Amino acid sequence: METTYRSIFKWGDKREEKLEKGIIELVKEQFNYTDEDFKKKVLYGNQQVKLDKMTSIPESTRRKFIEIAGSENVRWDDYSRASHAFGKFYGDLLYLRKGEIATPPDLVISPRTEKEIEQILLLCQQENIAITPVGGLSSVTRGVETPRGGISLDLTKHLNKILKVNTVNSTVRVEPGAYGPALEKHLNDCGYTCGHFPQSFEYSTVGGWVAARGAGQASTGYGKIEEMVLALRVITPAGIIETKDFPATAEAWDLNKIFIGSEGTLGVITSVTLKIRKYRPENDAFASFVFKDFKSATQCMREIMQAGFGFPHLFRLSDSVETATAFKIKGFDNSFSDRFLKMKGYRPGERCLMFVSIEGDKEYTHLVKKKIKKIARKSGGFYSGEKPVKEWLKQRYESAYLRDPLMDVGVMTDTVETSVNWDNLLNLWTQVRNYLESREKTHVMAHISHVYENGANLYFTFLSPMKQGDEMEDYLNYHSGLIDAIHNNGGSLSHHHGIGRALAPWMEKEMGKTAMGLLQAIKDNLDPKGIMNPGNTLGLK
Amino acid sequence: METTYRSIFKWGDKREEKLEKGIIELVKEQFNYTDEDFKKKVLYGNQQVKLDKMTSIPESTRRKFIEIAGSENVRWDDYSRASHAFGKFYGDLLYLRKGEIATPPDLVISPRTEKEIEQILLLCQQENIAITPVGGLSSVTRGVETPRGGISLDLTKHLNKILKVNTVNSTVRVEPGAYGPALEKHLNDCGYTCGHFPQSFEYSTVGGWVAARGAGQASTGYGKIEEMVLALRVITPAGIIETKDFPATAEAWDLNKIFIGSEGTLGVITSVTLKIRKYRPENDAFASFVFKDFKSATQCMREIMQAGFGFPHLFRLSDSVETATAFKIKGFDNSFSDRFLKMKGYRPGERCLMFVSIEGDKEYTHLVKKKIKKIARKSGGFYSGEKPVKEWLKQRYESAYLRDPLMDVGVMTDTVETSVNWDNLLNLWTQVRNYLESREKTHVMAHISHVYENGANLYFTFLSPMKQGDEMEDYLNYHSGLIDAIHNNGGSLSHHHGIGRALAPWMEKEMGKTAMGLLQAIKDNLDPKGIMNPGNTLGLK
């Protein structure tokens, strides 16, 4: 088994092994990279993992944990600890590439049952040991690290079962450690779909989706995870909270909503009941459009969302730079279609690409597509067929695997996302773009991928050469200015990545003092000793 | 001005003045009433309001409240206090009819501004005075009474403005004291609709809708109020919490959802931002069906909700007794259509009536109607045209005005509602029906009026002669057994009426101890002195 730092920060997916030709050309062109630059490996992280400190949990306590969970499920070797020290925040990857792990967990425990989790939590309370529940460790907001050491509670090894598909109620009950593909495969085999396809789908878990309040690529139709969760069971240090899967209630306020987005700070989610929908890919309708500019395309999106004929499921709009980048990478530039589009006035550097898919009943998907085509045409959208969407869907998760090979050649690359109301969308997009482009040699792309009647998200991707030798501070400064730009221009701190520790410093400014006091009071009630994912997650004490 | 108890419990609506002929016949038939019985007036409440105790807030304190809110907005005359002592719970009406008001508020204050509310809350904290924010006082769950006396904070007099209709974002920002018709009229004039039409619409306010977590008649399409609220501003004793109207976020957990359903226990909601939709009644599609029985009709409902072509807005199914009652009252029995239906096997006492309306884009509403007709036909539903729905909509709020004239003649009548998953719906309906019918001379009707992919609500209406002289205990015993029947058979305590004090005794059984501790901790954080709507609301201390 490979035990390098590199083996930790890599997803272990073969799609991340090399860069596409189009990307290499982009980097050469934008950053004046030469072939030589692509041969130098920057912060490759190929050294063997070796931690400075042994686990600080004494043997007598470790023995108690082993009694609870079994010796094969309690690990404190360097590699196990190192591989649970970080998520996928850009800074995490830098630390791993440098072989710097300041605060690894002391133990990695993989509980087999809910009862074991209860016992582990009890022991952690008695001994004041921090505990962080983790799934796929794909947090990009520093949500899973262990600044106080303690336990990384791995839910993926055993608590990954699909407990019950109820086709009458159209629900599934599932354990938190189930990964996206396993859940979706099981549901598809039963004729259903979960409808939740975050970018991290292949390496993230149901528990993580709920804890981080995520959204999938089809969220415009299916909703964010908070719209899918009907019931939860959560082991908190204060006891068990279990909600029921009623379709709706007026039983005081909705407790599900307190755990969705709680990022492990309140307890361990041990089961989730989700809405499911019929899986009928043969009914899916697809459409792609090219618009003359971002403004007309966003107006079209808004009109579609407010038209009252239902929503597309996938609804995505790349801004002009992202569109141009995609066209370049996919070899579209100077093709016949490209020349045709240019002739029609869809100019590179201005034109924007929109993707649509609609799921459900066949006549319904056809009607919605027809309606969308009509509105798009009116807004100057050129219908470019189904194929671009279908092609995109085939590689829908790939962009997540681009980051590591780019970092290998010294390119800083990250994504940040926000949500905004329609009447502020163009302003926010402009201001954040301006900020990002104020850094020299920076390639900035943006898209909208989660759309609502009242607004949308904005998702920014940037590529820029690392400031070598000063990679971390350089990144953190840039990132901090970026969040300021979003916050000061009326965007939310996050639409679906969550807050973690990365965005925690902005929480009080965003929420206000009284609201932060309320969040803390909820935390204090359920976790009076402060053992659950401690250390500033969500800005909590 | 009329100052009888009767003037308080009556809505003041002329539709409640007399009973329809059909209702009179039903009562005669079911309860062996004679014409004489209809002449006796039972607990008529015609005496002048006279309270035993003066306000217990001393003059010096009253003077401070007057300084804040102005003398015309601070009242402590008997009638003002009496008319803010109760909501519309059946027991409330009995007390008022008897002229018994044990715990009226000491003051009724109608603040003019948010600033005044802040000052009032501060003073209440200093002097330990209870305060209950109220809107239309239409609570049917004892949510607005004042067991500790103190202040009834009337938000309808001044804080009733529609602050901003934003047609780009498709939102309205409104003050809590705005009544349904005023809001809807304003929105219609702007080309929009709120889509929230609770039974109490004409006499309830936006703040009440949010506080009690209500649902409107078109909720199957538009969602419950929790799906409509984008942002809230709430003055709590601990400070102000204001959420933003982002379309969605992942900023920790959703604080809106803590105030929706809080029933005045956490603070005073001072503004609400709601989603709005285009108002296009010309596009509405209507359909009604008669089914052979409740079972096949509910299966049809489920199939429609899970079919993936969108949802109807109004979606309603009366069970066989409610259907028979409606047919009798509306003079349908023995009509040509009735005979035709009977011939076709739609038998009285078994057949069930379903109403559908669909709103939105014209082609969409037509498609959904077509789809629904197809599924209904397959389930044995007989299409009975648009007219019954249109007729029903004309009198959509009337049933609320039936209760008082029935009580006038000694008929106990009340409604209780729950939600349930599809796989338990028929069982719950049967069990609750059996319980209700175990009382002699009781007419029990039920319907489904809020439908989901995963289940539906059940709404029970019962009529039974009062046990004269022992009206209250008789009712409370019967009601208590009813809630037990719902709870023990897997229904929620409420789908949209809320909990108040009437259902508070079941809360811990329903939610569990840890969850109740969490509710209490939230309360204690925002309202450390326990002044907000105190006295067991939601089962809180």
Side-chain angles (χ1 to χ4, degrees):
Chain A
M1 188 181 130
E2 202 191 334
T3 56
T4 59
Y5 289 97
R6 187 166 180 79
S7 71
I8 295 174
F9 64 75
K10 298 271 280 183
W11 295 97
D13 193 291
K14 68 171 195 270
R15 285 164 293 181
E16 63 187 336
E17 276 163 25
K18 66 191 270 276
L19 289 168
E20 268 183 277
K21 194 164 148 273
I23 302 274
I24 292 175
E25 270 165 33
L26 176 82
V27 170
K28 281 184 178 173
E29 199 178 297
Q30 295 278 322
F31 310 140
N32 306 323
Y33 263 51
T34 62
D35 285 334
E36 281 311 295
D37 290 318
F38 280 96
K39 284 176 197 152
K40 294 182 210 148
K41 295 298 179 193
V42 180
L43 299 175
Y44 208 60
N46 235 354
Q47 60 280 45
Q48 293 297 309
V49 168
K50 173 89 187 67
L51 298 181
D52 295 337
K53 279 197 310 186
M54 288 272 293
T55 176
S56 68
I57 292 179
E59 206 204 319
S60 57
T61 311
R62 293 202 304 262
R63 211 175 301 131
K64 290 182 196 164
F65 284 117
I66 289 171
E67 262 168 47
I68 294 169
S71 61
E72 71 284 15
N73 296 314
V74 181
R75 287 165 295 152
W76 58 87
D77 60 284
D78 278 7
Y79 191 75
S80 295
R81 290 166 62 210
S83 59
H84 289 77
F86 289 115
K88 298 287 188 184
F89 178 64
Y90 180 80
D92 299 351
L93 305 181
L94 281 183
Y95 279 123
L96 284 168
R97 284 172 178 272
K98 293 179 176 187
E100 292 174 12
I101 302 183
T103 61
D106 291 299
L107 292 181
V108 177
I109 304 184
S110 306
R112 292 167 297 195
T113 64
E114 202 177 63
K115 196 82 214 156
E116 289 180 5
I117 296 176
E118 277 189 76
Q119 293 168 336
I120 292 166
L121 252 60
L122 190 64
L123 187 52
C124 285
Q125 281 193 286
Q126 285 162 356
E127 313 252 339
N128 196 25
I129 296 171
I131 179 163
T132 298
V134 304
L137 290 158
S138 62
S139 167
V140 289
T141 60
R142 301 183 54 206
V144 292
E145 60 198 65
T146 49
R148 265 178 49 192
I151 291 166
S152 184
L153 194 76
D154 166 32
L155 299 163
T156 63
K157 187 171 169 191
H158 299 294
L159 289 165
N160 55 15
K161 289 176 283 301
I162 293 144
L163 300 169
K164 164 108 184 146
V165 177
N166 183 324
T167 58
V168 176
N169 293 343
S170 198
T171 58
V172 62
R173 187 154 168 261
V174 56
E175 288 182 332
Y179 280 97
L183 173 62
E184 187 63 18
K185 164 106 181 38
H186 186 97
L187 290 174
N188 288 174
D189 290 346
C190 302
Y192 285 84
T193 177
C194 173
H196 189 73
F197 306 104
Q199 194 68 31
S200 62
F201 179 74
E202 298 171 295
Y203 296 98
S204 64
T205 61
V206 175
W209 302 344
V210 173
R213 214 174 151 186
Q217 293 167 350
S219 80
T220 302
Y222 288 122
K224 286 185 69 192
I225 196 74
E226 55 259 50
E227 269 109 28
M228 299 182 182
V229 172
L230 286 176
L232 291 173
R233 193 169 152 93
V234 191
I235 316 278
T236 81
I240 295 178
I241 291 188
E242 180 166 14
T243 59
K244 298 181 181 175
D245 61 349
F246 294 128
T249 82
E251 293 176 338
W253 53 90
D254 184 356
L255 293 186
N256 285 335
K257 298 299 194 293
I258 291 181
F259 296 100
I260 301 171
S262 63
E263 302 193 10
T265 61
L266 305 180
V268 183
I269 296 167
T270 57
S271 90
V272 180
T273 305
L274 295 167
K275 297 182 190 179
I276 54 176
R277 272 69 175 229
K278 282 179 192 139
Y279 179 60
R280 291 168 295 187
E282 67 281 9
N283 293 352
D284 293 356
F286 303 96
S288 70
F289 303 92
V290 182
F291 285 82
K292 292 201 170 151
D293 53 40
F294 195 55
K295 187 176 173 187
S296 63
T298 56
Q299 279 168 350
C300 172
M301 276 190 139
R302 179 168 81 83
E303 194 174 332
I304 288 166
M305 293 306 293
Q306 296 174 354
F309 52 68
F311 309 124
H313 287 75
L314 171 78
F315 202 15
R316 219 182 143 90
L317 173 68
S318 293
D319 75 355
S320 53
V321 180
E322 191 172 286
T323 298
T325 307
F327 280 3
K328 181 190 289 285
I329 292 175
K330 298 297 169 197
F332 178 80
D333 279 358
N334 290 316
S335 65
F336 173 77
S337 310
D338 181 29
R339 278 175 285 147
F340 177 79
L341 275 174
K342 281 179 191 154
M343 199 186 70
K344 288 276 184 187
Y346 295 85
R347 281 193 283 259
E350 292 174 16
R351 63 192 179 190
C352 293
L353 188 57
M354 180 188 284
F355 287 162
V356 176
S357 84
I358 311 132
E359 304 183 19
D361 171 86
K362 190 157 202 148
E363 282 180 272
Y364 170 78
T365 61
H366 281 59
L367 176 70
V368 175
K369 177 172 170 177
K370 189 185 93 174
K371 289 274 165 190
I372 288 175
K373 281 176 81 169
K374 194 172 165 188
I375 294 175
R377 196 179 314 123
K378 209 186 61 183
S379 313
F382 178 85
Y383 178 64
S384 42
E386 302 188 348
K387 202 176 148 202
V389 192
K390 289 182 175 171
E391 292 295 318
W392 183 87
L393 284 169
K394 277 186 206 154
Q395 52 86 64
R396 60 197 293 179
Y397 306 116
E398 275 182 22
S399 65
Y401 312 120
L402 249 173
R403 191 157 65 159
D404 294 312
L406 281 168
M407 291 180 75
D408 284 346
V409 296
V411 175
M412 169 171 88
T413 168
D414 199 16
T415 61
V416 164
E417 44 87 57
T418 179
S419 59
V420 62
N421 295 101
W422 287 120
D423 63 1
N424 188 33
L425 188 139
L426 287 178
N427 170 58
L428 184 68
W429 171 73
T430 306
Q431 300 295 335
V432 175
R433 259 204 161 285
N434 287 347
Y435 169 78
L436 285 168
E437 289 179 337
S438 68
R439 180 184 170 97
E440 62 165 354
K441 288 192 187 175
T442 303
H443 187 68
V444 181
M445 302 177 282
H447 62 251
I448 292 171
S449 44
H450 309 274
V451 200
Y452 302 87
E453 292 166 270
N454 318 103
N457 81 319
L458 275 172
Y459 196 99
F460 296 93
T461 303
F462 55 87
L463 278 66
S464 187
M466 289 179 189
K467 193 169 168 189
Q468 294 192 15
D470 190 24
E471 297 87 359
M472 187 69 78
E473 212 189 316
D474 176 42
Y475 168 77
L476 291 176
N477 284 338
Y478 188 51
H479 179 262
S480 170
L482 169 55
I483 306 303
D484 281 342
I486 288 173
H487 178 69
N488 296 338
N489 286 291
S492 71
L493 293 181
S494 172
H495 169 268
H496 63 273
H497 282 176
I499 297 297
R501 294 166 181 91
L503 303 177
W506 285 266
M507 276 293 275
E508 189 169 312
K509 272 185 280 190
E510 171 69 4
M511 311 290 279
K513 225 179 163 65
T514 310
M516 284 311 291
L518 175 57
L519 293 180
Q520 186 68 48
I522 291 169
K523 161 85 173 167
D524 293 345
N525 173 256
L526 294 176
D527 178 24
K529 298 244 176 141
I531 57 167
M532 295 303 311
N533 200 7
N536 204 30
T537 314
L538 304 176
L540 297 172
K541 279 181 214 106
Chain B
M1 186 183 131
E2 203 191 333
T3 56
T4 59
Y5 290 96
R6 187 166 180 81
S7 72
I8 295 174
F9 64 75
K10 297 270 280 184
W11 295 96
D13 193 291
K14 70 171 194 270
R15 285 164 293 180
E16 63 188 334
E17 275 162 24
K18 67 190 271 277
L19 288 168
E20 268 182 276
K21 194 166 149 273
I23 302 275
I24 292 174
E25 270 165 35
L26 175 82
V27 170
K28 281 184 177 173
E29 201 179 295
Q30 296 277 321
F31 311 141
N32 306 323
Y33 264 50
T34 62
D35 285 335
E36 281 311 293
D37 291 318
F38 281 95
K39 284 174 195 153
K40 294 181 208 147
K41 295 299 179 193
V42 180
L43 299 174
Y44 209 60
N46 235 354
Q47 60 279 43
Q48 293 297 309
V49 167
K50 174 87 188 70
L51 298 181
D52 296 337
K53 280 197 308 187
M54 289 272 292
T55 176
S56 68
I57 292 179
E59 207 204 319
S60 56
T61 310
R62 294 201 303 262
R63 213 176 297 130
K64 290 182 198 165
F65 284 116
I66 289 171
E67 265 167 46
I68 294 169
S71 62
E72 72 282 16
N73 296 315
V74 181
R75 289 164 293 151
W76 58 87
D77 59 283
D78 279 6
Y79 191 76
S80 295
R81 290 167 60 210
S83 58
H84 288 78
F86 290 116
K88 299 287 188 185
F89 179 65
Y90 180 81
D92 299 352
L93 306 180
L94 282 184
Y95 279 123
L96 285 168
R97 284 174 177 270
K98 292 178 175 188
E100 292 174 10
I101 301 184
T103 61
D106 291 299
L107 293 180
V108 177
I109 304 184
S110 306
R112 293 166 297 196
T113 64
E114 202 177 64
K115 194 83 215 155
E116 290 180 5
I117 296 176
E118 277 190 76
Q119 293 167 338
I120 292 165
L121 252 61
L122 190 65
L123 188 52
C124 285
Q125 280 193 284
Q126 284 162 358
E127 313 253 338
N128 196 24
I129 297 171
I131 180 163
T132 298
V134 305
L137 290 157
S138 62
S139 166
V140 289
T141 60
R142 301 183 55 206
V144 292
E145 60 198 65
T146 50
R148 265 177 49 191
I151 291 165
S152 184
L153 194 77
D154 166 31
L155 300 163
T156 63
K157 189 172 169 189
H158 300 294
L159 290 165
N160 55 16
K161 289 177 285 299
I162 291 143
L163 299 170
K164 165 108 182 146
V165 176
N166 183 325
T167 57
V168 177
N169 293 343
S170 198
T171 58
V172 62
R173 187 154 167 261
V174 57
E175 289 181 333
Y179 279 99
L183 172 63
E184 187 63 18
K185 165 104 181 39
H186 186 95
L187 289 174
N188 289 174
D189 290 347
C190 302
Y192 285 84
T193 177
C194 173
H196 190 73
F197 306 104
Q199 193 69 30
S200 61
F201 179 74
E202 298 171 296
Y203 296 98
S204 64
T205 63
V206 175
W209 300 345
V210 174
R213 212 173 153 189
Q217 293 167 351
S219 80
T220 301
Y222 288 123
K224 286 186 71 193
I225 196 75
E226 55 259 49
E227 269 109 27
M228 299 183 181
V229 172
L230 286 176
L232 292 173
R233 193 170 152 90
V234 190
I235 317 279
T236 80
I240 296 178
I241 291 188
E242 180 166 16
T243 59
K244 299 181 181 175
D245 59 349
F246 294 129
T249 83
E251 293 177 338
W253 54 90
D254 183 356
L255 293 186
N256 285 335
K257 298 299 194 296
I258 291 180
F259 296 99
I260 301 171
S262 63
E263 301 194 12
T265 60
L266 305 180
V268 183
I269 296 166
T270 57
S271 91
V272 180
T273 305
L274 295 167
K275 296 182 190 179
I276 54 176
R277 272 69 176 231
K278 282 180 191 138
Y279 180 59
R280 292 169 294 188
E282 67 279 11
N283 292 353
D284 293 355
F286 304 96
S288 69
F289 303 92
V290 182
F291 286 82
K292 291 199 171 156
D293 53 40
F294 195 56
K295 186 176 174 186
S296 62
T298 56
Q299 279 169 350
C300 172
M301 277 191 137
R302 179 168 81 84
E303 194 175 333
I304 288 166
M305 294 306 294
Q306 296 174 354
F309 52 69
F311 309 124
H313 288 75
L314 171 78
F315 202 16
R316 217 180 144 90
L317 173 68
S318 293
D319 75 354
S320 54
V321 180
E322 192 173 284
T323 298
T325 307
F327 281 2
K328 180 190 292 283
I329 292 174
K330 299 297 171 199
F332 179 80
D333 280 357
N334 290 314
S335 65
F336 172 78
S337 309
D338 180 29
R339 277 175 285 147
F340 176 79
L341 276 175
K342 281 178 190 154
M343 198 186 70
K344 288 275 184 188
Y346 295 85
R347 281 193 282 258
E350 292 174 16
R351 62 193 180 189
C352 293
L353 188 56
M354 181 188 283
F355 287 163
V356 176
S357 85
I358 311 130
E359 304 182 19
D361 171 85
K362 191 157 201 146
E363 283 180 271
Y364 170 78
T365 61
H366 281 58
L367 175 71
V368 175
K369 177 172 169 177
K370 189 185 93 174
K371 288 275 165 191
I372 288 175
K373 280 176 82 170
K374 194 171 165 189
I375 294 176
R377 195 179 313 123
K378 209 187 59 183
S379 312
F382 179 84
Y383 178 64
S384 43
E386 302 188 347
K387 204 176 146 201
V389 192
K390 289 180 175 172
E391 292 295 317
W392 182 87
L393 285 168
K394 279 186 205 154
Q395 52 87 65
R396 61 197 292 179
Y397 307 117
E398 275 183 22
S399 65
Y401 312 120
L402 248 173
R403 191 157 66 158
D404 294 311
L406 281 167
M407 290 180 76
D408 284 346
V409 297
V411 175
M412 169 172 89
T413 166
D414 198 16
T415 61
V416 164
E417 45 87 57
T418 180
S419 59
V420 62
N421 295 102
W422 287 121
D423 62 2
N424 188 31
L425 189 140
L426 287 177
N427 170 58
L428 184 68
W429 171 74
T430 307
Q431 300 295 334
V432 175
R433 260 206 161 282
N434 287 348
Y435 169 78
L436 286 169
E437 288 180 337
S438 68
R439 180 185 170 96
E440 62 166 353
K441 287 193 187 175
T442 302
H443 187 67
V444 181
M445 301 178 284
H447 63 250
I448 292 171
S449 44
H450 309 275
V451 200
Y452 302 87
E453 291 166 270
N454 318 102
N457 81 319
L458 276 171
Y459 196 98
F460 297 92
T461 303
F462 56 85
L463 278 66
S464 186
M466 290 179 190
K467 193 168 169 190
Q468 293 193 15
D470 190 23
E471 297 86 1
M472 188 68 78
E473 211 189 315
D474 176 40
Y475 167 78
L476 290 176
N477 284 337
Y478 188 48
H479 180 262
S480 170
L482 169 55
I483 306 302
D484 281 342
I486 288 174
H487 177 70
N488 297 337
N489 287 290
S492 72
L493 293 180
S494 172
H495 168 268
H496 63 274
H497 282 177
I499 298 297
R501 294 166 181 91
L503 303 177
W506 285 266
M507 275 293 276
E508 188 169 311
K509 270 184 282 190
E510 171 69 5
M511 312 289 279
K513 226 179 163 66
T514 310
M516 285 310 291
L518 175 57
L519 294 180
Q520 186 67 48
I522 290 169
K523 162 85 172 165
D524 293 345
N525 173 256
L526 294 176
D527 178 24
K529 297 246 177 137
I531 59 168
M532 296 303 312
N533 200 8
N536 203 31
T537 314
L538 304 175
L540 297 172
K541 279 182 213 103

